[in-house]
């Protein structure tokens, strides 16, 4: 198939950032989206031009590294699919495809399609863990956990930390990401004791990083490649904020 | 040089206990005066760094990723083993030990493997305490599944995302130590050299991947948890950025590289589809719990399938060859990986592969779907349900177990594996070889440690499924944090290590010099294209089957390719910027050197064992012929310089507890 790619370039020869157009004439529909970019990059290198910088690693939809907005959608138009798992058979011959970086104040662009998401790490550092040292654990089966709770916790825990929720949100809020971690840990007996403090600390850090507020638009859920539910946000608000309003810090 | 594994005295099951109660400790106030560098934030590195931080050491951690959570461990699917015997099916520490030694085809060190089996149970406890959401039964207790090469159910899992959940557990513990100030995190920093001062590892040289800055970092000890080198084959199931640079640069500084030719080729991966392809996708081994592997018996059926005249579902049971069940009735579809891969290669070499180039076999879930469906219907009190209902119910059960894998398959192949069997083929997956380490997980360079897939230690010539996660976390949480004390106890009076001393300057210049050289070649070939060609050579001559003649010519080809690389490479851009092309270039340079060593190692080992199958050494039925008389040793290779022959050091393996037998899964 033939495609026209409009790709955001920033840094190096494009100090201010601008779109560049590339024509692709021989795209195999079985290629993944990133393989298509690999082919383009090999061509650019052969012409001694700078290849397009984009991040990726696992190419299996699990590491959360790939991050780009394709035709206006973070990770592209396919539901529940990361950019690396998107295949060219879902595009039409002759189509023009626009590719941009995730855009949010808390995700500064580093180069072309690469952004800095270290703010997510700092949110986890602020409280996204169970405070247990190695070797302190009791037998794993000592506390039975209801299967439903374990499954729900697992669903929230499948967040890959990609940031598409932020890129999708008009407010650039990180609420889906934060609430997924808060829910995952709060739903398990091991994470429960610190649940409130954790939620408060993580939300405070989120604000500090410059992410916006959540106004229930739910674009995040629609674009999340792991289909993390906005239920997590509701749960977090209900359980940790509506009644205590940040008063409780040592629960 | 005589290699000393430093195995503690005493009976097998007491070694670790005795060791722990006698190993010198570093007192808490002294720990604060000791700096440790950990490279890597996969399961091994993250768990080690978090635990060392908890113990009170000053820890600096490095990863080339943008976040510790992105390490390749995140992609592990199927599960993690532990000798918990929660299923009461006869499992024990000894059995896990024995299975691992046997699965590794008797090429690993007994003492290390037994220790691994002992601490396996602590890992599960630790992970659950961290909030890792393992799969559970309705009673609320942890669920298990089976993996290849064993007859018990000891694998813990979190749907098809076990590695993700375990890594997030370790990452979160690490994040806690970062927030407490015990650990300092360096993201997007790639280690490019180890610094040796007076014979001890005292630091590393890193490149900041955002701006190219070359930095010196000093410490009392250096721990490498930098993963495996499967990407030397270009196409593998490893994440795209996995590489051997850290381990190889350590090798060039004198650390021995052990058993580099022991590569695991995983039987169930999605077949190669085109030459644009950059990596392969694993379909977890757990699928072999329920999937049956087959190819058609008759060539006409194979032809008809390839031409689209016949669908696999049209073939009757009699027309199918379930070759694993036929050849290995005792283990059936759950034979170990090396055996399953070789068997797939054999039927495909016979021409019975089911895709155009005869490089695919079927993995079929139909029976499992119907079986689960019937049982589900029965539980719901449905009598005589029709086939459609049974199938529907069965598909639900299979979805709950493997949903994400089926989805991944469908995304890549555009085919629905609930309705038609998956097509699979073996692919490079894991490297059992790695830096040689003793019982302390210390390399032959004092103060330089290697953990996780980066070391060679526990899996011999073939790793059993769900044992890499176990080993990475065993090393990081429960072994290294104590064994490192052995070395550090002698360092409490050393004082801070000065990064301005000569060896740091020398190493820094070495790194800068190589980068300048790469950038100045200004030839015409991209690092990617040379990597792809190297991978082809490795796969064809040092892959699933090897022979002396092929290996000799491969060595020559790699040398020529290396010449080409250094004369005709083109690297876009400069050092002082974000430049993935440059990263690729120096990683490929190291792969080109490691590749040759793998070939040399494979040539040296005149036997077939585990993943190392030398065609000259096989039985009439095509099974591997091991030679314990001459090859029951670990090959530890010493780098001698560019174009010099590497020197082989042997660690003889002593088996005091298991009897060496022909490995049989029949
Ligand atoms: C698709 C797939 C599925 C798997 N499934 C399973 C499974 O179900 N069960 C199982 O037991 N095993 C499984 N494995 C194997 C297992 O995942 C790995 O062996 C294991 O995760 C390796 O962990 P590690 O910590 O040693 O290394 P990695 O996770 O590879 O981490 C390496 C770390 O080192 C860093 N690093 C490397 N070099 C440098 C450098 N030069 N400078 C700075 N940082 C560096 C990287 O950034 C990374 O943080 C699977 C493997 C694959 C490929
Ligand atoms: S919630 Fe979804 S979109 Fe947001 S970081 Fe997690 S996986 Fe990505
Ligand atoms: S590259 Fe890992 S999720 Fe896309």
């Amino acid at each position: 198939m033939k495609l026209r790619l409009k790709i955001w370039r920033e840094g190096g020869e494009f100090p201010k950032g601008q779109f560049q157009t590339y024509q692709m004439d021989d795209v195999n529909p079985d290629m993944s989206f990133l393989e298509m970019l690999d082919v383009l990059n090999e061509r650019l290198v052969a012409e001694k031009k700078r290849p397009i910088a984009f991040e990726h690693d696992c190419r299996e939809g699990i590491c959360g590294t790939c991050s780009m907005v394709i035709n206006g959608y973070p990770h592209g138009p396919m539901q529940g699919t990361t950019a690396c798992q998107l295949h060219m058979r879902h595009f039409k011959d002759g189509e023009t495809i626009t590719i941009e970086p995730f855009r949010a104040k808390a995700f500064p662009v580093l180069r072309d399609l690469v952004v800095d998401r270290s703010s997510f790490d700092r949110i986890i550092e602020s409280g996204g863990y169970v405070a247990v040292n190695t070797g302190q654990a009791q037998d794993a089966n000592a506390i039975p956990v209801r299967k439903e709770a374990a499954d729900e916790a697992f669903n929230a825990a499948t967040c890959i930390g990609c940031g598409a929720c932020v890129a999708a949100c008009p407010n650039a809020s990180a609420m889906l990401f934060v609430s997924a971690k808060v829910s995952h840990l709060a739903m398990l007996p091991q994470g429960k004791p610190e649940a409130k403090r954790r939620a408060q600390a993580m939300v405070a850090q989120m604000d500090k990083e410059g992410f916006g507020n959540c106004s229930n638009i739910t674009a995040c859920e629609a674009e999340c490649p792991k289909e993390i539910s906005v239920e997590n946000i509701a749960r977090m608000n209900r359980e940790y904020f509506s009644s205590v309003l940040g008063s409780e810090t040592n629960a | 040089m005589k290699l000393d594994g430093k195995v503690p005295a005493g009976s097998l099951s007491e070694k670790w206990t005795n060791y722990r109660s006698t190993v010198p400790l570093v007192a808490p106030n002294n720990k604060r005066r000791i700096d440790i560098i950990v490279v890597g934030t996969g399961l091994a590195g993250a768990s080690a760094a978090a635990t060392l931080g908890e113990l009170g050491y000053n820890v600096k951690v490095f990863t080339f990723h943008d976040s510790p959570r992105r390490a390749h461990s995140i992609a592990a699917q199927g599960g993690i083993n532990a000798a918990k015997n929660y299923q009461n099916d006869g499992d024990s520490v000894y059995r896990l030990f024995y299975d691992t030694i046997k699965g590794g085809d008797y090429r690993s060190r007994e003492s290390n493997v037994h220790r691994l089996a002992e601490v396996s149970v602590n890992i599960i406890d630790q992970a659950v305490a961290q909030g890792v959401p393992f799969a559970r039964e309705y009673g609320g207790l942890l669920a298990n599944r089976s993996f290849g090469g064993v007859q018990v159910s000891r694998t813990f899992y979190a749907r098809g995302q076990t590695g993700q959940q375990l890594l997030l557990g370790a990452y979160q513990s690490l994040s806690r130590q970062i927030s407490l100030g015990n650990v300092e995190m360096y993201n997007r920093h790639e280690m490019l050299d180890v610094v040796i001062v007076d014979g001890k590892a005292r630091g590393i040289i890193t490149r900041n991947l955002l701006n190219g800055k070359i930095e010196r970092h000093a410490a009392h000890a250096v721990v490498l948890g930098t993963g495996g080198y499967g990407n030397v084959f270009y196409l593998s199931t490893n994440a795209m950025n996995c590489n051997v640079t850290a381990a190889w640069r350590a090798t060039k500084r004198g650390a021995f590289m052990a058993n580099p030719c022991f590569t695991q080729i995983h039987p169930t991966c999605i077949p190669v589809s085109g030459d644009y392809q950059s990596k392969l996708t694993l379909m977890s081994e757990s699928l072999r719990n329920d999937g049956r592997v087959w190819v058609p018996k008759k060539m006409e059926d194979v032809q008809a399938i390839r031409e689209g005249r016949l669908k696999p579902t049209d073939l009757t049971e009699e027309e199918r060859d379930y070759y694993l069940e036929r050849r290995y009735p005792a283990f059936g579809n759950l034979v170990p990986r090396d055996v399953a891969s070789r068997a797939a290669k054999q039927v495909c070499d016979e021409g019975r592969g089911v895709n155009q180039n005869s490089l695919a076999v079927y993995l079929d879930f139909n029976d499992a779907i119907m079986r689960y469906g019937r049982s589900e219907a029965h539980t719901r009190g449905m009598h005589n349900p029709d086939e459609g209902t049974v199938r529907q119910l069965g598909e639900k059960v299979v979805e709950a177990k493997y949903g994400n894998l089926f989805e991944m398959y469908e995304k890549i192949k555009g085919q629905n594996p609930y309705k038609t069997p998956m097509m699979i083929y073996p692919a490079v997956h894991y490297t059992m070889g790695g830096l040689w380490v003793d019982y302390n997980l210390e390399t032959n360079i004092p103060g330089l440690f290697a953990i996780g897939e980066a070391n060679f230690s526990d899996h011999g010539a073939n790793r059993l499924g769900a044992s890499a996660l176990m080993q990475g976390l065993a090393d990081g949480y429960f072994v290294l944090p104590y064994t490192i004390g052995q070395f550090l106890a002698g360092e409490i009076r050393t004082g801070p290590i000065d990064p301005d001393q000569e060896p740091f300057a020398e190493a820094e210049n070495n790194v800068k010099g190589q980068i300048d050289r790469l950038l100045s070649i200004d030839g015409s070939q991209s690092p990617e294209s040379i990597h792809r060609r190297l991978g082809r050579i490795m796969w064809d001559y040092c892959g699933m089957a090897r022979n002396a003649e092929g290996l000799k010519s491969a060595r020559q080809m790699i040398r020529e390719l290396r010449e080409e690389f250094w004369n005709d490479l083109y690297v876009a851009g400069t050092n002082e910027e974000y430049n993935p092309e440059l990263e690729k270039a120096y990683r490929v340079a190291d792969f080109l050197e490691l590749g040759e060593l793998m070939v040399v190692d494979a040539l040296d080992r005149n036997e077939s064992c585990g993943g190392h199958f030398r065609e000259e050494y096989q039985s009439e039925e095509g099974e591997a012929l091991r030679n314990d008389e001459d090859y029951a040793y670990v090959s530890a290779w010493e780098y001698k310089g560019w174009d010099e022959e590497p020197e082989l050091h042997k660690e003889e393996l002593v088996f005091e507890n298991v009897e060496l037998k022909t490995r049989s899964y029949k």
Side-chain angles (χ1 to χ4, degrees), chain A residues 120 158-166 176-177 180 220 223-226 228:
Chain A
F120 268 18
T158 56
C159 163
I160 57 175
C162 64
C165 44
V166 175
L176 193 62
F177 168 77
C220 51
E223 295 306 329
C224 170
K226 297 293 131 179
I228 302 287

Side-chain angles (χ1 to χ4, degrees), chain A residues 7-206:
Chain A
I7 303 179
W8 183 261
R9 309 280 330 238
E10 185 169 336
E13 314 133 73
F14 312 101
K16 289 213 199 81
Q18 67 192 76
F19 280 105
Q20 286 288 105
T21 305
Y22 304 91
Q23 183 65 34
M24 299 285 288
D25 286 336
D26 197 13
V27 176
N28 181 328
D30 284 335
M31 280 179 181
S32 73
F33 199 84
L34 301 191
E35 283 167 349
M36 188 251 327
L37 290 181
D38 290 341
V39 172
L40 172 59
N41 272 348
E42 278 296 283
R43 189 179 93 200
L44 293 177
V45 172
E47 294 165 6
K48 301 220 164 182
K49 294 193 183 125
R50 280 302 301 265
I52 293 142
F54 66 93
E55 282 198 294
H56 62 91
D57 199 21
C58 74
R59 298 209 176 185
E60 289 183 4
I62 192 74
C63 71
T65 310
C66 62
S67 52
M68 54 185 79
V69 176
I70 303 169
N71 285 344
Y73 301 96
H75 290 300
M78 287 270 290
Q79 280 241 309
T81 305
T82 53
C84 59
Q85 288 190 299
L86 180 64
H87 281 72
M88 299 316 295
R89 63 180 83 93
H90 303 293
F91 294 87
K92 288 192 291 291
D93 192 18
E95 197 176 331
T96 299
I97 304 176
T98 310
I99 311 172
E100 297 165 80
F102 282 2
R103 296 197 192 273
K105 187 167 137 227
F107 289 167
V109 174
L110 296 171
R111 179 144 209 153
D112 298 345
L113 305 172
V114 179
V115 298
D116 178 358
R117 289 168 286 183
S118 52
S119 46
F120 268 18
D121 285 329
R122 291 187 293 273
I123 291 177
I124 298 294
E125 284 160 26
S126 73
Y129 46 74
V130 176
V132 57
N133 281 358
T134 305
Q136 291 180 333
Q138 57 181 334
D139 183 82
N141 261 348
I143 310 175
V145 180
R146 264 189 328 115
K147 181 171 166 39
E148 293 76 12
D151 286 350
E152 272 288 288
F154 172 83
N155 286 339
T158 56
C159 163
I160 57 175
C162 64
C165 44
V166 175
C169 178
N171 308 330
S173 167
M175 271 305 248
L176 193 62
F177 168 77
V178 171
S179 68
K181 186 49 63 193
V182 166
S183 291
H184 153 215
L185 295 175
M187 275 183 287
L188 296 170
Q190 291 80 6
K192 197 124 203 143
E194 301 165 274
K196 286 196 178 166
R197 192 175 51 187
R198 176 182 306 119
Q200 286 163 358
M202 289 177 74
V203 170
Q205 185 66 32
M206 173 181 93

Side-chain angles (χ1 to χ4, degrees), chain B residues 113-187:
Chain B
V113 176
H114 197 275
R115 175 177 66 190
L116 173 65
E118 285 174 59
V119 304
S120 69
V121 298
N122 306 111
I123 297 171
I124 303 304
D125 299 343
Q126 181 63 27
V128 166
Q130 290 169 342
V132 170
F134 283 123
R136 290 182 181 265
E137 308 288 359
Y138 280 103
L141 302 182
L142 293 163
N144 290 117
R145 55 168 59 143
S146 301
F147 259 54
V150 302
Q151 289 165 314
V152 293
S153 223
R154 64 160 75 101
T155 306
F156 294 78
Y157 63 99
R159 213 168 295 164
Q161 286 114 296
T162 317
Q164 179 195 28
Q165 296 309 318
L166 289 169
L167 183 63
L168 291 180
Y171 159 70
Q172 286 162 200
S173 291
L174 174 63
S175 298
R176 175 166 161 253
Q177 292 306 309
I178 296 171
S179 74
L180 292 171
N182 299 331
V183 173
E184 206 176 331
M185 186 70 229
Y186 292 82
N187 295 337

Side-chain angles (χ1 to χ4, degrees), chain B residues 398-578:
Chain B
V398 168
E399 189 186 340
K401 292 183 125 178
Y402 313 113
N404 71 316
L405 298 171
F406 276 51
E407 209 181 292
M408 187 143 68
Y409 182 87
E410 187 164 359
K411 274 182 187 147
I412 294 175
K413 297 299 286 183
Q415 285 177 352
N416 178 350
Y418 293 99
K419 307 292 179 204
T420 185
M422 285 184 181
M423 280 205 253
I424 53 157
Y425 196 68
V428 173
H429 179 60
Y430 181 87
T431 50
M432 282 75 69
L435 291 170
W436 182 87
V437 290
D438 61 17
Y439 191 75
N440 296 321
L441 304 182
E442 191 171 11
T443 66
N444 55 303
I445 299 178
L448 182 66
F449 294 77
I451 56 177
E453 195 174 336
N455 73 26
F456 88 104
S457 71
D458 296 337
H459 308 293
N462 173 58
R463 174 174 71 77
L464 291 179
S467 287
L469 301 185
M470 170 173 74
Q471 184 224 333
L473 290 178
D475 288 359
Y477 284 134
F478 297 108
V479 180
L480 176 99
Y482 308 101
T483 59
I484 201 172
Q486 173 102 2
F487 172 78
L488 293 175
E491 298 291 334
I492 50 183
R493 290 204 178 74
T494 308
I497 304 296
D498 173 16
D500 291 330
Q501 26 185 344
E502 173 50 30
F504 279 89
E506 187 270 330
E508 183 183 306
N509 286 337
N510 174 40
V511 167
K512 285 183 170 158
Q514 197 214 29
I515 290 175
D516 289 344
R517 207 172 138 210
L518 286 166
L519 288 168
S520 62
I521 302 170
D522 200 25
S524 67
Q525 303 184 52
S526 68
E528 190 79 6
S529 66
I530 293 190
H531 189 187
R532 189 179 276 129
R533 285 165 64 198
L534 172 67
R536 192 72 225 197
I537 299 172
M538 297 306 293
W539 178 249
D540 287 347
Y541 299 98
C542 198
M544 257 190 290
R546 299 128 184 222
N547 61 57
E549 203 188 332
L551 288 165
K552 282 183 195 142
S553 56
R555 186 170 188 193
Q556 193 50 37
M557 290 180 201
I558 296 170
R559 289 190 157 209
E560 282 162 16
L561 190 59
R562 210 159 62 199
E563 282 301 305
E564 235 179 282
F565 177 90
W566 284 105
N567 289 312
D568 192 30
L569 184 74
Y570 172 68
V571 184
T574 64
N575 174 58
E576 287 71 30
E577 60 182 328
Y578 180 86

Side-chain angles (χ1 to χ4, degrees), chain B residues 280-299:
Chain B
L280 298 173
T281 303
L282 175 75
M283 287 285 106
S284 165
E285 174 157 302
S286 56
L287 293 173
R288 285 197 278 142
N289 269 295
D290 285 313
R292 298 178 69 194
V293 179
W294 65 276
V295 290
K297 279 187 185 152
K298 292 189 299 239
M299 271 312 292

